[in-house]
Amino acid sequence: MTPLSGGISGALAGRPPGQPPLDRRSFLRLSGALGAAGALTASLGACTGPPSTIGTGGRGGAALDTLTAVIGYGNDQSWDPTQTASAFSMAANHHIYEGLLDTDPITRAPYPALATALPADLTATTWTFTLRDGATWHDGEPVTVEDVLFTFDRVLDPEVNTLARSFFASWLEGVRAVDERTVELDFRFPFPDAAPRLTIAKIMPRHVFGEEGAWDRATGGLAVGSGPYRQTAHHPKSNTTFEAFEGYNGPRHPAFRAMNWRSVVEAAPRVAAISGNSAEAQIAENIPYANVAQLRDEGLQVEGGAGMNHLFLMFNTENPPFDDVRVRQALLHAIDTEQLIEVGLKGYGRAATSFLDENNPAHRPAATVYRHDPDRARQLLDEAGVTDLSINLMAVNVSWAVDCLPTIKESWDAIGVPTTLEPQETSALFTKMDQDRAYQAVAAVSNPNQFGLDADLILRYNYTRGGLWMSYTGWEGSEAADELFALMDRATEESEPEARLQLTHQALDLVAEQAVLYPVVHNELLTAWNPRAITGVRAQPYPGINVLQTGAVVS
């Protein structure tokens, strides 16, 4: 998502209406490619190499002192909490930073983090929070109300237009200081879903990120928070290290003295890092489906989480014939999703029946469901007058997504649309899209569950007026887009749950019908860990790991 779920980086934040899309340099800056890794490493601490484990590396013996984790996504994209959708940096930031409220990684139930209590009345239009006594930043400075105001000023700034802004601007009017320990959040209307959403607004130190050039350094990897772990070294495309923050006095205490998170995008070395008697890691996520039996036979725990993770297609509606909804619908109807799930996902997936996954409480099958129907696909192409279409399908190189691409090609070839596949690194893909807006279609992966579970948030991740996703599709100026954004705003503001759900379903039906950016399949994500080394692990239905409630096994 990182990709976005490993596929799309935090560069994909919203852009103000009327502003041009990000150019190549802007994309690279936001994705962290221009970050000065050497300077960051020198400033973050002396721990510059991958730390080792204690005793026998977690295969028995002494309790684990340093946790080694393998993350299947890059650590070289944006680390700015207000901008990133990177699976690696978002997971890390949950250990480094705190919101006023944070959420359980699985249930997403909110709990007080930098604030001392949950709101007393979730239907109130003003929420009051008192900061935790003694909270300090990793550099020893105290956390202040000014830091809270500084963070929300950036989140809500329409000129900066961060990715986080799309999750707050519709309902949050502003944030103000009451006294030196208290802040109030003023809402445009009652919005109970704000409680879990506040975890997205990680509070950041003004004295660090208010300095000139600091946001670029945050993009490149600088992280200074108030959470249970502090970043000690950052090596893009290799690893990032952490240590327990001795000054932490919040609710989620660190269980390990240190952590080493390795970025291993390729599947085979990722599996090798956690398997066999010489395994260096105790936990790994994004486990390939083909390796599940092997790892379980070795005594590892392998569990999955099914949620919003998905492979989607995005069409450039400014490039005919993709401006014709019938062409977009035809290409989705053509895909043999059952074969894709069986061959590419080894059974760990479901064909999309809505923009939302079937586990989402707001899910219902959309009015338009794209079941495999090549005859219908050919009919739609005929109705659109398209007879000689060929497609170059650009795609991210996330391992499980690459396994799905051949089925898409075979399906499109079968309806007379010869297709060329072009998988590549995320940064390369979007650089090409920035340089040449004549691209046709893109296959990528995404998981808005990194941010939360509610349908409003999930829709706004991709479908936001002025957002970069809409810029890439060239669709937001259409009448259908205007109708969609109006429906979404009405649903957000609606206080009666059933009426709100009906409006949400109307919006989801419109998204399905238009098929501009739409899931092909929702799939399960797998995590493996050594139960002889660590305990309390819960597999997430979105990329990354959370070890704030994980502990070491003592033999």
Side-chain angles (χ1 to χ4, degrees):
M1 256 251 223
T2 132
L4 218 179
S5 277
I8 311 300
S9 85
L12 301 186
R15 301 289 288 167
Q19 281 198 11
L22 290 176
D23 58 20
R24 179 176 183 271
R25 180 173 178 82
S26 296
F27 179 90
L28 292 174
R29 176 177 59 80
L30 285 175
S31 67
L34 299 183
L40 285 172
T41 298
S43 67
L44 289 172
C47 181
T48 58
S52 61
T53 54
I54 299 299
T56 58
R59 293 286 175 178
L64 192 66
D65 184 70
T66 297
L67 177 74
T68 299
V70 180
I71 309 297
Y73 306 104
N75 71 336
D76 60 335
Q77 298 173 44
S78 178
W79 282 68
D80 176 355
T82 70
Q83 290 279 34
T84 193
S86 159
F88 192 111
S89 57
M90 281 195 69
N93 283 344
H94 284 304
H95 298 74
I96 295 170
Y97 293 96
E98 299 175 279
L100 291 171
L101 305 179
D102 281 327
T103 61
D104 181 89
I106 306 301
T107 68
R108 310 315 277 266
Y111 62 87
L114 273 175
T116 57
L118 295 172
D121 180 4
L122 294 178
T123 65
T125 55
T126 296
W127 290 6
T128 303
F129 294 106
T130 300
L131 297 184
R132 186 176 75 231
D133 286 338
T136 60
W137 299 111
H138 293 159
D139 61 6
E141 293 294 317
V143 176
T144 69
V145 163
E146 290 301 316
D147 298 315
V148 178
L149 301 182
F150 169 76
T151 299
F152 279 100
D153 281 347
R154 177 172 171 82
V155 167
L156 294 176
D157 189 337
E159 295 300 320
V160 178
N161 203 16
T162 64
L163 175 60
R165 184 174 182 271
S166 63
F167 304 130
F168 290 88
S170 62
W171 54 270
L172 182 59
E173 181 71 35
V175 180
R176 52 195 165 86
V178 175
D179 57 39
E180 64 180 12
R181 303 300 301 165
T182 309
V183 295
E184 287 187 342
L185 277 62
D186 293 321
F187 294 4
R188 302 181 192 279
F189 45 80
F191 190 65
D193 284 343
R197 202 169 292 193
L198 286 177
T199 190
I200 299 171
K202 297 301 186 189
I203 306 304
M204 304 179 71
R206 178 178 181 177
H207 70 277
V208 174
F209 295 103
E211 296 292 325
E212 183 176 356
W215 290 117
D216 286 337
R217 296 180 67 205
T219 295
L222 175 64
V224 180
S226 62
Y229 290 94
R230 61 180 289 266
Q231 187 195 72
T232 52
H234 177 57
H235 305 277
K237 297 189 177 182
S238 174
N239 70 303
T240 304
T241 63
F242 315 83
E243 70 177 13
F245 176 42
E246 292 183 359
Y248 179 71
N249 67 345
R252 295 289 187 269
H253 294 283
F256 307 100
R257 178 189 61 82
M259 298 192 297
N260 177 35
W261 287 21
R262 295 185 53 210
S263 170
V264 184
V265 177
E266 294 184 7
R270 189 164 64 249
V271 172
I274 197 172
S275 63
N277 292 329
S278 60
E280 61 178 290
Q282 294 80 41
I283 185 170
E285 55 92 73
N286 196 16
I287 294 297
Y289 305 121
N291 296 100
V292 173
Q294 167 206 338
L295 296 178
R296 285 175 174 164
D297 287 345
E298 292 182 14
L300 296 177
Q301 192 85 16
V302 183
E303 293 185 8
M308 188 63 196
N309 207 70
H310 61 279
L311 173 72
F312 68 86
L313 292 175
M314 178 173 68
F315 298 102
N316 181 2
T317 65
E318 292 180 322
N319 186 353
F322 304 102
D323 57 335
D324 192 320
V325 66
R326 294 169 296 187
V327 174
R328 302 192 299 266
Q329 291 177 342
L331 293 171
L332 283 166
H333 272 304
I335 297 172
D336 188 343
T337 50
E338 292 307 311
Q339 176 180 315
L340 187 150
I341 292 167
E342 179 181 355
V343 176
L345 301 179
K346 309 300 181 188
Y348 288 92
R350 290 180 178 177
T353 57
S354 168
F355 193 78
L356 300 179
D357 66 280
E358 293 185 9
N359 293 318
N360 191 289
H363 174 273
R364 73 163 191 193
T368 305
V369 176
Y370 295 99
R371 308 191 190 282
H372 180 219
D373 190 343
D375 291 336
R376 176 62 175 154
R378 294 187 189 95
Q379 178 186 354
L380 286 165
L381 291 176
D382 287 344
E383 291 175 1
V386 174
T387 58
D388 58 352
L389 178 63
S390 61
I391 295 179
N392 180 58
L393 180 62
M394 299 196 299
V396 297
N397 65 344
V398 176
S399 57
W400 66 264
V402 171
D403 292 340
C404 296
L405 295 179
T407 298
I408 297 178
K409 171 179 167 53
E410 292 172 14
S411 299
W412 289 356
D413 287 348
I415 63 165
V417 180
T419 301
T420 302
L421 301 176
E422 191 182 341
Q424 57 205 283
E425 289 188 356
T426 301
S427 59
L429 169 62
F430 283 89
T431 296
K432 288 183 180 180
M433 293 169 63
D434 285 331
Q435 292 173 337
D436 182 6
R437 288 305 177 104
Y439 73 92
Q440 297 174 299
V442 169
V445 301
S446 177
N447 195 329
N449 286 164
Q450 293 180 118
F451 298 95
L453 297 178
D454 71 86
D456 176 84
L457 178 152
I458 289 169
L459 276 168
R460 289 183 186 278
Y461 180 78
N462 290 121
Y463 287 90
T464 294
R465 189 184 299 278
L468 194 60
W469 288 110
M470 293 294 93
S471 171
Y472 278 128
T473 65
W475 180 73
E476 75 166 33
S478 67
E479 291 183 6
D482 288 341
E483 181 182 354
L484 173 65
F485 298 143
L487 278 170
M488 290 167 59
D489 287 343
R490 288 172 57 197
T492 304
E493 192 168 350
E494 176 58 58
S495 59
E496 202 283 311
E498 186 57 37
R500 183 181 185 186
L501 186 61
Q502 290 179 5
L503 290 167
T504 298
H505 286 159
Q506 291 178 45
L508 290 166
D509 286 345
L510 184 55
V511 166
E513 177 194 25
Q514 290 295 309
V516 173
L517 188 158
Y518 204 71
V520 177
V521 289
H522 292 102
N523 67 306
E524 190 170 355
L525 293 175
L526 303 180
T527 301
W529 66 93
N530 180 2
R532 298 180 296 278
I534 55 177
T535 184
V537 177
R538 292 180 294 167
Q540 296 182 166
Y542 52 95
I545 59 172
N546 188 301
V547 295
L548 294 182
Q549 293 173 289
T550 300
V553 173
V554 180
S555 60

